[in-house]
Amino acid sequence: MDSAPPAPPSSLPPSPWLPFESRRRARDEKREAVLRAAVQLFLEQGYHRVTLNEVAERLNITKPALYNYFRGKDEILFECWSMGAELVDSVITEINAGGGSGLAKLRKLVHAYAALMATDFGASLVRFDLRDLTERNAGVARAAKKRIDATFRKYIAGGIDDGSIRSCDPKLAAFAIAGALNWIGHWYQRDGEFSPTEIADEFTVRLTEGLATEGRQQMTKKTPRAPQRRNSGRATTGKKRTGGGTR
Amino acid sequence: MDSAPPAPPSSLPPSPWLPFESRRRARDEKREAVLRAAVQLFLEQGYHRVTLNEVAERLNITKPALYNYFRGKDEILFECWSMGAELVDSVITEINAGGGSGLAKLRKLVHAYAALMATDFGASLVRFDLRDLTERNAGVARAAKKRIDATFRKYIAGGIDDGSIRSCDPKLAAFAIAGALNWIGHWYQRDGEFSPTEIADEFTVRLTEGLATEGRQQMTKKTPRAPQRRNSGRATTGKKRTGGGTR
DNA sequence: ACTTTTTCTTACCCGCGGGTAACATATCGG
DNA sequence: CCGATATGTTACCCGCGGGTAAGAAAAAGT
């Protein structure tokens, strides 16, 4: 995007625009650095317990310097939240661009969303309290949430239509799935037992196939598999075999 | 003085301090009245945005009076939380007392827990931030949460053993289910579209049976619903309906 | 009645932390 | 080298709200 304009003859550095551009870039990078530091602290300690001094300190600057990039604390919070929202939006547009049954799309969404919940900006989507935002920003956030929720419902409803999903209430089903996913943002920790991929893989299966044996395979005797060791550590690590070949 | 029918937002359980009568209620009842008022405000506005003056005002007393019953704001929060925890505990002991397969117990738990999430004290279990508690109380709360989570896992693991639940990772499955349930505490509202019973009923089914029709090999009783055409998921068509485009 | 104890009020303290003003310094265009 | 514009610092303000001190007003005991 930064095509250098025709370099002027003499020895001077070519474009006067480049400095401007790079300066803006530098600014944006700093802005983002603030957000990264802030989101981390907010998640770690909770918005209200984090002071702007702490945020600044972690960046080796002082509090008033933050006001060069943001109008106030609540705007920082909102921008963190927005970063997460943008990630989700891009996931959705990509899925929408592709094809597949309602169930297939839902699975893609579940998988990507689960992985997102294991990131800082993703988690901020569900761990920040919208009541800390200005009424204006809270409205934007609510609208975004609504769009996301609508997407879940749309995929489910579509899946019911095309027969890939059994008949059920799309609204409640979406709540259930989104709830399970959102909760990841509350318990996941980087140094935990499960990797984001493992979580995403397992949730994709569990949330669409359920638990009960009833009515599915298990036609063969119910031989007690794994008499003792349920959950052999890392049990489900390998490629997920979604039962009888999904899709 | 002004006639003092202090008509605060009606619909609230009248406080024991109302003008001049019933000032001789038992201490414990007053304590609980404080908790009921507090939990409502905390859920409504968020812990940090609620002042003790507001809590007191809603009870027709003044802030320092609260200190006759609690050591401080954080203790009020903790006691609210504990109320919810006790409710869950009693549910669990009751289920443990009864019998049934792992799946049956899990379903009972899901049903009762879902209903609990639609109550104030139940929701406080998942909407309050344990970091607002003293280290001591936070420890108690973490332990209680752990016990609850362990119960979910125990039922699931038991169900795998007795064959009522298909093999899976009990830990992640418990996270998924508990997450879906906990999230109820975030979106449920009394005047909403669904009653607690409806939610509990639907979640019990959805969380244990899954969504996918997964045609293929179903044969045992209970022909799966979904009379729709069985469209093998393969996307032979570029674009499914995906609903009517809008919602 | 009288003390004693519990409950509640009035009046205050004070630390925390978001936000601002005024000033210093670096950067850049020219 | 010189203004103009970003960028950052030091020092301060001040409102909010949790918590407390001291004492009034009921209740309860005797």
Side-chain angles (χ1 to χ4, degrees):
Chain A
M1 194 56 158
D2 50 298
S3 57
S10 66
S11 61
L12 281 178
S15 157
W17 299 97
L18 268 181
F20 176 81
E21 268 291 321
S22 78
R23 219 167 125 160
R24 197 183 65 75
R25 270 260 305 273
R27 185 184 167 82
D28 284 354
E29 276 176 29
K30 289 184 189 173
R31 220 182 112 99
E32 230 184 274
V34 173
L35 293 182
R36 277 197 308 271
V39 74
Q40 222 172 325
L41 284 168
F42 289 164
L43 290 175
E44 202 173 284
Q45 313 184 27
Y47 178 68
H48 293 281
R49 276 172 296 276
V50 175
T51 72
L52 290 185
N53 277 324
E54 288 178 89
V55 176
E57 194 178 1
R58 191 168 279 209
L59 295 162
N60 300 318
I61 56 177
T62 57
K63 174 175 64 172
L66 296 173
Y67 285 82
N68 281 319
Y69 303 98
F70 302 94
R71 304 180 102 86
K73 194 185 182 187
D74 63 288
E75 183 174 306
I76 297 181
L77 185 73
F78 176 69
E79 293 296 329
C80 289
W81 194 94
S82 296
M83 295 283 287
E86 280 168 27
L87 293 176
V88 176
D89 278 345
S90 68
V91 160
I92 288 178
T93 44
E94 188 168 345
I95 297 178
N96 278 335
S101 65
L103 179 60
K105 283 186 184 171
L106 178 63
R107 281 186 172 140
K108 283 186 202 169
L109 180 55
V110 167
H111 197 275
Y113 195 95
L116 250 177
M117 282 299 118
T119 70
D120 281 351
F121 288 117
S124 71
L125 266 181
V126 298
R127 292 191 40 194
F128 291 167
D129 191 338
L130 298 194
R131 291 171 296 195
D132 288 320
L133 271 40
T134 62
E135 193 43 54
R136 176 171 183 75
N137 284 343
V140 175
R142 272 191 296 269
K145 275 196 166 178
K146 206 163 177 178
R147 284 197 332 264
I148 296 172
D149 186 55
T151 303
F152 274 98
R153 288 186 212 168
K154 195 177 74 181
Y155 291 168
I156 293 174
I160 295 175
D161 278 354
D162 67 29
S164 57
I165 291 179
R166 63 171 67 175
S167 170
C168 64
D169 184 312
K171 207 166 173 179
L172 281 178
F175 275 147
I177 291 181
L181 293 172
N182 288 335
W183 204 247
I184 296 174
H186 281 86
W187 57 262
Y188 172 78
Q189 39 194 7
R190 222 187 286 300
D191 58 340
E193 181 176 350
F194 302 100
S195 75
T197 323
E198 285 175 303
I199 296 169
D201 288 346
E202 178 74 6
F203 268 55
T204 305
V205 179
R206 283 283 81 72
L207 291 179
T208 53
E209 290 188 11
L211 293 169
T213 51
E214 175 183 339
R216 303 178 190 277
Q217 80 174 38
Q218 192 226 336
M219 58 297 236
T220 56
K221 68 214 173 179
K222 57 174 161 189
T223 301
R225 61 222 112 171
Q228 194 85 345
R229 43 187 295 113
R230 47 188 82 107
N231 184 14
S232 57
R234 207 74 76 177
T236 56
T237 307
K239 277 292 126 186
K240 275 289 95 60
R241 286 283 320 154
T242 58
T246 59
R247 280 203 225 266
Chain B
M1 309 315 185
D2 48 289
S3 63
S10 57
S11 81
L12 282 178
S15 97
W17 284 276
L18 268 180
F20 297 103
E21 65 201 60
S22 69
R23 275 205 167 176
R24 56 193 59 179
R25 292 280 179 83
R27 185 182 167 83
D28 284 352
E29 276 179 31
K30 290 184 187 173
R31 220 183 113 98
E32 228 184 276
V34 173
L35 293 182
R36 278 198 307 272
V39 74
Q40 222 172 333
L41 284 169
F42 289 164
L43 290 175
E44 202 173 284
Q45 312 184 27
Y47 178 68
H48 293 282
R49 277 171 294 276
V50 175
T51 72
L52 290 185
N53 277 324
E54 286 178 272
V55 176
E57 193 178 3
R58 197 171 274 211
L59 294 162
N60 301 318
I61 56 177
T62 57
K63 172 176 63 171
L66 296 173
Y67 284 82
N68 282 315
Y69 305 97
F70 303 94
R71 302 181 104 89
K73 195 184 183 188
D74 63 288
E75 185 174 304
I76 297 180
L77 185 73
F78 176 68
E79 294 296 328
C80 289
W81 194 93
S82 296
M83 294 283 287
E86 281 167 27
L87 293 176
V88 176
D89 278 345
S90 67
V91 159
I92 288 179
T93 45
E94 189 169 346
I95 296 178
N96 278 336
S101 66
L103 179 60
K105 283 185 185 173
L106 178 63
R107 280 188 172 139
K108 282 186 202 169
L109 180 56
V110 167
H111 198 274
Y113 196 96
L116 249 176
M117 280 301 119
T119 70
D120 282 350
F121 287 116
S124 71
L125 267 181
V126 298
R127 292 192 38 195
F128 292 167
D129 190 338
L130 300 194
R131 291 170 298 195
D132 288 320
L133 269 41
T134 61
E135 194 42 55
R136 175 170 183 75
N137 284 342
V140 174
R142 272 192 295 268
K145 273 196 167 177
K146 207 163 177 179
R147 285 197 331 265
I148 296 172
D149 186 54
T151 303
F152 274 98
R153 287 187 213 167
K154 197 178 72 179
Y155 291 168
I156 293 173
I160 296 176
D161 279 354
D162 68 29
S164 58
I165 292 178
R166 62 168 66 176
S167 172
C168 65
D169 184 309
K171 206 165 175 178
L172 281 178
F175 275 147
I177 291 181
L181 292 172
N182 288 335
W183 204 246
I184 296 173
H186 281 84
W187 56 261
Y188 173 77
Q189 39 194 9
R190 223 189 288 298
D191 58 341
E193 180 176 350
F194 302 100
S195 75
T197 322
E198 284 175 303
I199 296 168
D201 288 346
E202 178 76 6
F203 268 56
T204 305
V205 178
R206 282 283 82 70
L207 292 180
T208 54
E209 290 188 12
L211 293 169
T213 51
E214 194 170 328
R216 325 305 187 204
Q217 78 286 10
Q218 59 238 347
M219 58 310 174
T220 50
K221 64 180 188 173
K222 180 190 209 164
T223 53
R225 323 203 42 223
Q228 283 86 347
R229 59 234 161 129
R230 182 160 303 154
N231 181 346
S232 70
R234 307 265 282 102
T236 52
T237 73
K239 191 100 178 230
K240 279 314 176 184
R241 255 181 50 71
T242 67
T246 58
R247 176 109 295 265

